[in-house]
Amino acid sequence: MIVDASVAFKWLVEESDSDQAIRWIGSGASLLAPTLILSETGHAMTKCIRRGELSAKGADERFARLTTLLTLFDDTPFMARAFDLSITLRHGFYDCLYLAAAEALGD
């Protein structure tokens, strides 16, 4: 199953529906994500720290935990398809990268 940054963020920072996202961790499903997930999740976490919503103490450990929860794959092969999807669907490129990967990997 392809996991996007909004789900991964809920694993690391408690927010609405975190409990539902956390259920995927022990579900037995193979959790996959493009390397983009690190940039997106890191950005979201540091933004929360700057706004005072998350303490910087321990945030680096939470962030490092992400790579233990899923298997990362190179997203480069999916860039062209993501670009096409983004234009066709009139939707954000990052979201379309997850979609392109899911299409290609049959997830």
Side-chain angles (χ1 to χ4, degrees):
M1 169 187 303
I2 304 293
V3 176
D4 77 353
S6 64
V7 172
F9 183 80
K10 291 175 187 302
W11 294 343
L12 306 176
V13 178
E14 188 173 337
E15 61 176 15
S16 175
D17 298 327
S18 282
D19 58 332
Q20 292 177 12
I22 290 169
R23 285 188 202 128
W24 286 108
I25 295 173
S27 71
S30 179
L31 303 175
L32 310 170
T35 54
L36 168 68
I37 200 168
L38 298 174
S39 298
E40 284 196 295
T41 306
H43 174 77
M45 288 183 73
T46 57
K47 193 172 176 182
C48 287
I49 292 167
R50 287 192 308 273
R51 290 191 304 227
E53 300 167 356
L54 179 64
S55 167
K57 182 177 175 144
D60 56 342
E61 292 167 1
R62 289 185 195 195
F63 182 68
R65 183 171 180 250
L66 183 57
T67 60
T68 69
L69 299 174
L70 42 72
T71 301
L72 297 174
F73 59 84
D74 179 22
D75 48 28
T76 306
F78 311 109
M79 294 289 175
R81 178 64 178 145
F83 188 79
D84 291 342
L85 285 168
S86 183
I87 292 169
T88 302
L89 301 175
R90 300 175 54 88
H91 197 78
F93 179 82
Y94 294 155
D95 290 341
C96 289
L97 183 60
Y98 291 100
L99 178 57
E103 270 184 355
L105 300 175
D107 245 359

